[in-house]
Amino acid sequence: MTRRKPLLVLASIDPVIRDATVFGMVTDQPRLVVVRHDIHDDEGGGSIRRVVVCADGVLSDETVPLEHACLSCAVREDAVPTLAALADDDRWDTVLLALPVGAESLPVTRALAGATHSRGALRRLRLAHVVGALDVETFEHDALGDDLLDERGLALTADDRRAVGEALTAQVAHVDTVLVHGDARRAPVGSALLEHLRAADGLRVDGPYTVRPEDLVRHGHDPERAERRLDPLHAAPSPRRTAAPGAWTLDLRSPRPLHPERLVEHVHRLGDVPVRSRGRFWVPSRPDSLCVWDGSGGQLSIGQAGRWESHEPETRLVFTGVDDVRRRLVEAFEDVLLTADEAAAGLAPWLGRDDVLAPWLGSPMDA
C-alpha cells in the first residue's frame, strides 16, 4: 500500500506571521513544500494568487482566475488540483497549505477531509494537523477589539464585513495547535485570554520555531472532533480558565428560554461589549428550534441551527473577556430570560403571537 503523505493546514490573520511561520517550516524541513493562497476580489472577477515555495525558494507564483472570489471556490478550483499534483511529486514528503489571511480553517479542512478519503482527489494525502499562528502581544486587541478585516486590508471579498476578532477566535478555537509568536511575558492578559479561547483539547507552542514539521505530522486531524470545538451546542468554558488569571469566562445557564421581545430590546447589553461569546438558546415562540449565538469584536450573530431533537432545550451562553463587565452581563441575562412565573405559564400564551425574531432566525419551518 502506498504511503500517504501528510498534509498540514495553516491559518492566521496576520500576513507577516503567516509568512514567518512558512519560512520556519521550509527551513527546518527541506522535503516540505508549501502552497500559499491569497484571494483577490477584482472588479473584473475573482482571482487567487498561488505561490508554491520550498527550502530552495519560490517554485511558482501564479494568479489564477476564479469563478467566484470565495474560499470554497479557491479550495475546489485551485487548492485540490495543486495539492494532488504535489502529492504525486517524489521530491516532497510533506505538503502544507497556507490559507488566505483571515480565512477560517473549519470549512477548508471539512472539504479537504472529504478529498483525502480513499477515493477522493487527494487520496495520496492524509490530513495530519491544522495549525494556527498568531501574535500574543496583539491578541487581546485583535480578539476583542472592533476592527474589521477590510479596515486592515484583509477582507477576503468585497462584502466581507467580518470583525478581525470573529476570524481570529474561530481559528484558535478550531485548530489542533496554536503557534504563538511574540513574548507572552510582555502580554500576560493576552496570553491568559488565549488560554480561555483556544481549543480545550488543542496544543499551544510558544516560540513557533521550536516546533518542527515532523512533530506535527505524527498526528492525525480528526474533523468531527474539530467541528465539535466550534459547535455552539457544545460551547463550554475551557478547563484551563482557572489557571489563566487576567482573563475570565462566565458560564450563564438556565433551562428557561429567552423572552423574544426582551431579547430584541436588550440584546445590545449582551452583544455590544468587548467579549467573545458563544452558545445556544431557545425561545417559547419556536420551542423546537435550536438557536445559536456567536459574538466577537462588537459583532453578534444569532441564527437557527436545526432542532433540539434528542437534546433537552436549554439556554447556555459562555462569555470570555478581560474588562470586568460580568455583573452587567449577569443582570442583562436575567432580564432577557423568561421569569419563573412566565415559564410556569407554559407555551400556550405564545401560540399565534408575532415572531419578532423572524428577521434573524428565519422561519421556524426552516429549522
Side-chain angles (χ1 to χ4, degrees):
M1 182 176 178
T2 303
R3 172 182 171 272
R4 296 201 297 162
K5 297 178 181 179
L7 170 63
L8 304 173
V9 177
L10 171 65
S12 182
I13 63 154
D14 186 318
V16 175
I17 295 292
R18 180 190 63 172
D19 292 349
T21 304
V22 166
F23 178 78
M25 291 281 190
V26 297
T27 301
D28 195 60
Q29 176 52 269
R31 291 184 60 81
L32 179 146
V33 64
V34 179
V35 180
R36 194 193 75 193
H37 271 165
D38 289 294
I39 296 176
H40 301 283
D41 193 2
D42 309 313
E43 289 186 6
S47 63
I48 188 166
R49 182 185 178 193
R50 182 215 312 133
V51 181
V52 180
V53 300
C54 68
D56 294 331
V58 176
L59 299 176
S60 65
D61 186 343
E62 300 180 55
T63 298
V64 182
L66 291 175
E67 183 178 343
H68 301 99
C70 67
L71 190 59
S72 61
C73 288
V75 173
R76 182 181 66 252
E77 297 178 27
D78 192 82
V80 168
T82 300
L83 294 172
L86 294 172
D88 291 335
D89 194 324
D90 291 336
R91 290 178 294 173
W92 317 119
D93 290 338
T94 304
V95 183
L96 185 149
L97 175 62
L99 301 182
V101 172
E104 295 183 14
S105 51
L106 177 97
V108 176
T109 54
R110 182 185 292 146
L112 294 177
T116 52
H117 279 172
S118 58
R119 296 188 179 182
L122 299 179
R123 55 188 172 275
R124 292 203 60 189
L125 296 173
R126 65 175 180 84
L127 188 53
H129 213 62
V130 182
V131 181
L134 57 85
D135 184 349
V136 70
E137 295 182 36
T138 65
F139 183 73
E140 178 188 348
H141 175 74
D142 291 338
L144 302 182
D146 58 5
D147 292 359
L148 301 179
L149 288 170
D150 68 351
E151 293 173 340
R152 296 193 187 180
L154 301 177
L156 293 180
T157 61
D159 60 353
D160 185 357
R161 298 295 296 168
R162 289 176 300 154
V164 172
E166 179 181 351
L168 176 58
T169 55
Q171 289 176 357
V172 300
H174 174 257
V175 300
D176 302 312
T177 293
V178 177
L179 302 181
V180 179
H181 294 248
D183 188 347
R185 294 170 299 181
R186 298 175 59 181
V189 174
S191 181
L193 181 64
L194 176 59
E195 289 303 283
H196 284 251
L197 295 180
R198 67 183 178 91
D201 58 347
L203 302 174
R204 169 177 173 168
V205 178
D206 285 80
Y209 307 119
T210 63
V211 67
R212 300 173 299 172
E214 53 263 40
D215 297 329
L216 300 174
V217 300
R218 294 192 185 103
H219 303 277
H221 177 72
D222 185 335
E224 292 185 5
R225 188 176 187 178
E227 293 215 20
R228 184 185 176 96
R229 295 168 183 164
L230 282 178
D231 186 347
L233 185 60
H234 302 290
S238 168
R240 290 183 300 270
R241 66 191 187 279
T242 56
W248 50 263
T249 292
L250 185 63
D251 187 10
L252 302 179
R253 305 182 68 171
S254 175
R256 287 177 277 154
L258 299 184
H259 190 290
E261 284 86 1
R262 292 204 296 270
L263 175 59
V264 172
E265 180 182 0
H266 297 289
V267 68
H268 65 281
R269 295 169 59 194
L270 293 167
D272 191 15
V273 285
V275 296
R276 168 66 168 143
S277 58
R278 295 179 58 231
R280 64 272 188 186
F281 64 97
W282 66 292
V283 289
S285 53
R286 50 174 81 199
D288 293 332
S289 295
L290 168 58
C291 303
V292 293
W293 178 291
D294 195 299
S296 58
Q299 294 186 341
L300 175 64
S301 173
I302 63 172
Q304 184 172 248
R307 297 183 179 276
W308 287 99
E309 307 215 353
S310 59
H311 297 278
E312 188 72 23
E314 73 159 349
T315 297
R316 185 176 192 180
L317 303 181
V318 180
F319 295 84
T320 298
V322 296
D323 296 337
D324 197 357
V325 294
R326 284 171 284 186
R327 177 177 294 181
R328 289 163 47 192
L329 291 171
V330 170
E331 291 173 351
F333 182 73
E334 291 294 337
D335 287 346
V336 172
L337 279 173
L338 258 65
T339 65
D341 289 342
E342 289 169 334
L347 299 176
W350 296 92
L351 294 175
R353 195 158 168 170
D354 287 343
D355 189 351
V356 298
L357 294 177
W360 294 274
L361 300 181
S363 167
M365 298 303 294
D366 295 335

